Amino acid sequence: MTKSFSNGDLPNDLINLRDAARLAGDVHPTTIRRWIGRNMLKAYRRGPSRLLYVSRDELVALTQPVESGGAA
C-alpha cells in the first residue's frame, strides 16, 4: 500500500528501495516492492516524486528472525 503524505506527516526514518534491499540482507529491490504489494510493508512518497520509500524501523521489524522454541 502506498501512502502519500505532506513532508510533515512522513516517518522520519525513510529510506529508498535500493537501501532497503541492502538492509534486508541484499535482496533485490523488486523483493521490497513485492512486500509492499502484499501489504507486508508500507510505502511512502515524498511530494510529487514517483519514488517509493519505506520506514527503516518497519523494515527492520519485518526482517527480524523468528525465535526458536516458540509455538508455530
Side-chain angles (χ1 to χ4, degrees):
M1 172 181 219
T2 305
K3 297 191 176 211
S4 295
F5 294 96
S6 65
N7 284 344
D9 297 331
L10 291 171
N12 61 0
D13 64 340
L14 294 180
I15 57 176
N16 64 41
L17 298 190
R18 185 182 316 159
D19 291 341
R22 286 188 199 125
L23 182 62
D26 285 323
V27 299
H28 197 275
T30 301
T31 301
I32 303 298
R33 288 183 179 276
R34 286 184 187 127
W35 292 348
I36 292 166
R38 293 177 182 157
N39 292 322
M40 297 168 64
L41 193 59
K42 292 179 194 168
Y44 302 89
R45 294 188 195 276
R46 291 182 182 175
S49 171
R50 296 189 53 169
L51 298 176
L52 292 176
Y53 298 88
V54 296
S55 164
R56 183 184 190 284
D57 289 344
E58 290 176 22
L59 178 67
V60 168
L62 176 66
T63 58
Q64 290 300 310
V66 176
E67 293 184 27
S68 63

